[in-house]
């Protein structure tokens, strides 16, 4: 189990460094936040994870939740009112 985790972390790091990683980007209107979840090796893995992230934010009372899956390299995992958090 430890070896599998180590390999997955290495692969995620490699994908991130190569800018090939897929990320879930979720924005909320209230509070005004931008969240990044990932990295994922495949877009379908990121898509499959979206409902869980959205459900968590809905449960916390977020309003105006929108999501997308994209290849990117976020500068921060959470951005509040335009500022990295």
């Amino acid at each position: 189990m430890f070896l599998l985790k180590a390999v997955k972390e290495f692969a995620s790091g490699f994908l991130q460094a190569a800018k090939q990683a897929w990320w879930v980007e979720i924005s909320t209107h209230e509070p005004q936040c931008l969240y990044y979840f990932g990295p994922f090796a495949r877009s379908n893995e990121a898509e499959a994870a979206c409902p869980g992230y959205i459900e968590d934010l809905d449960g916390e009372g977020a309003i105006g939740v929108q999501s997308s899956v994209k290849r990117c390299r976020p500068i921060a995992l959470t951005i509040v009112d335009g500022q990295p958090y």
Side-chain angles (χ1 to χ4, degrees):
M1 188 59 97
F2 174 79
L3 179 60
L4 180 61
K5 183 179 178 183
V7 169
K8 186 174 180 179
E9 288 177 0
F10 174 79
S12 292
F14 176 79
L15 288 170
Q16 180 63 12
K19 297 183 183 178
Q20 296 298 310
W22 290 92
W23 289 81
V24 175
E25 179 186 83
I26 298 181
S27 63
T28 58
H29 181 69
E30 188 60 44
Q32 189 176 4
C33 294
L34 190 59
Y35 303 95
Y36 289 94
F37 299 95
F40 295 92
R42 295 174 181 67
S43 63
N44 63 337
E45 293 172 354
E47 289 284 350
C50 280
Y53 299 135
I54 293 170
E55 183 179 331
D56 287 347
L57 290 168
D58 284 341
E60 292 177 10
I63 298 171
V65 178
Q66 297 182 350
S67 68
S68 64
V69 172
K70 58 175 68 175
R71 281 187 166 159
C72 63
R73 190 172 186 176
I75 59 167
L77 298 181
T78 304
I79 300 171
V80 179
D81 293 324
Q83 299 296 316
Y85 187 75

